[in-house]
Amino acid sequence: MRALALSGGGAKIHYHAGAIRHLLGTLRIPYEIVAGVSAGAIVAAQLAQYPVGFEDEAAQDLEELLSRVTINEVRRSWRPLGALQGLWKPSFYSSAPLRALLRRELSQEAIRGSGKVLRVGAVCAETGQFKLFTQESADVIGAVIGSSAFPGILEPMRMLGQMWIDGGVRVVTPIAAAIEAGADEIDVVMTSPEKPRHGSIGHEPTALEIIERSIEYMAEEIIEKDLKLALYMNALVSGNFMPTKRLIRFNVIRPAASLGDTFDFSAEGAAIMRVQGQQDAQRVMAAAAVQ
């Protein structure tokens, strides 16, 4: 079975859209499994609505959806005191716009009826537990909302009697989830470069900018651990040290340099990221085809 695993990245979700334009729109790869965390959970759930054979439609509809996502469709200030209310609320901003968007655009019935296997990861704010939700979960759209709840910035999702936050806090790239679902080939789309180079903020940073940059640093470390562990397991299988395990083929699509601000939802930034994602997917998949 072939899987698509999607990392988080906030506004860098547009990089996913560019890569998917090539993977699904051009190559028409019939993914049976889609897995995502954080922003990648939104993409995974959107794609999971389409049965195998509707790859081009899935890619086009994803790009159309994301083209309408602006910062105002993600968060809004608390009233009347704005971010100051984050001192007693669970986040600096209200995520009501994003919640409404996801409830409107994602259909639990379509996800369950498509035949796709969906895996979405979120973290319990009370226990730190990472949990995978599936297409059969009671509220898979709620799980997507929780998985994309950027800590401190967007509200946690209350579900199952607990509060759920960004799955990227614990698992940035859901490779293990795809393997456990039965994948033997995984195309991984990551929004962080292999050797990230962060520039200066350029001014006295705000608390929100410090939170954003700190989480990016943690995410990059988790990404590398996720991927290195998967490749290490492959090496053990190849050496016959783990005869009960299967060899997994990986195609890793990621940018060569930082994609920029996690919350840059500008049309200009989105267009650049889509082009970059498409070009990187073309390069990686062309190389994979000749191996």
Side-chain angles (χ1 to χ4, degrees):
M1 297 176 71
R2 191 160 184 174
L4 179 63
L6 301 151
S7 78
K12 299 169 190 176
I13 195 172
H14 291 286
Y15 182 83
H16 288 324
I20 287 165
R21 180 191 294 175
H22 183 66
L23 298 173
L24 275 72
T26 301
L27 299 182
R28 309 290 173 90
I29 298 175
Y31 293 109
E32 298 165 276
I33 302 166
V34 283
V37 294
S38 194
I42 297 174
V43 178
Q46 170 73 5
L47 298 180
Q49 298 180 112
Y50 298 82
V52 168
F54 288 81
E55 285 73 34
D56 189 47
E57 291 89 338
Q60 289 185 21
D61 288 353
L62 172 67
E63 195 161 337
E64 194 278 330
L65 168 63
L66 296 185
S67 71
R68 294 185 279 112
V69 176
T70 64
I71 193 64
N72 292 329
E73 288 283 352
V74 174
R75 69 190 190 194
R76 74 180 182 208
S77 295
W78 293 112
R79 299 185 180 94
L81 301 178
L84 181 62
Q85 291 182 227
L87 295 175
W88 60 87
K89 286 183 175 291
S91 60
F92 285 106
Y93 293 93
S94 165
S95 54
L98 180 61
R99 293 181 179 215
L101 175 71
L102 295 179
R103 292 288 188 191
R104 185 171 65 248
E105 298 292 339
L106 299 179
S107 165
Q108 183 143 322
E109 291 72 22
I111 291 171
R112 287 181 174 175
S114 70
K116 293 280 181 69
V117 175
L118 175 65
R119 295 291 185 268
V120 169
V123 171
C124 176
E126 289 94 341
T127 67
Q129 171 199 11
F130 177 82
K131 179 177 174 62
L132 284 171
F133 295 86
T134 78
Q135 70 278 4
E136 299 299 330
S137 295
D139 184 8
V140 68
I141 312 305
V144 173
I145 293 171
S147 183
S148 56
F150 197 92
I153 305 298
L154 300 179
E155 300 167 76
M157 176 66 186
R158 183 163 289 281
M159 185 173 57
L160 303 177
Q162 296 174 309
M163 297 180 75
W164 298 86
I165 61 174
D166 196 326
V169 170
R170 296 293 298 272
V171 176
V172 178
T173 310
I175 295 171
I179 295 173
E180 291 169 6
D184 50 30
E185 182 169 5
I186 306 175
D187 296 328
V188 184
V189 184
M190 307 167 73
T191 59
S192 175
E194 186 172 358
K195 296 180 180 179
R197 292 183 292 274
H198 296 283
S200 170
I201 293 177
H203 56 270
E204 190 68 21
T206 65
L208 295 181
E209 288 172 329
I210 291 294
I211 290 173
E212 177 191 338
R213 184 64 69 92
S214 298
I215 291 175
E216 283 186 356
Y217 292 150
M218 290 187 290
E220 288 159 4
E221 183 69 19
I222 297 170
I223 283 173
E224 293 309 314
K225 289 181 179 178
D226 287 350
L227 187 56
K228 287 177 180 177
L229 178 59
L231 297 176
Y232 178 66
M233 294 290 287
N234 254 3
L236 292 177
V237 173
S238 297
N240 204 32
F241 292 104
M242 301 180 72
T244 62
K245 301 293 183 180
R246 64 187 184 280
L247 190 67
I248 310 297
R249 181 177 178 182
F250 291 101
N251 299 306
V252 180
I253 300 165
R254 66 192 308 181
S258 174
L259 294 173
D261 186 350
T262 299
F263 289 103
D264 178 13
F265 284 92
S266 67
E268 297 80 5
I272 292 170
M273 284 187 277
R274 284 196 299 271
V275 170
Q276 186 65 59
Q278 184 175 17
Q279 291 176 343
D280 289 343
Q282 290 171 337
R283 172 179 51 79
V284 170
M285 301 313 291
V290 299
Q291 290 180 355

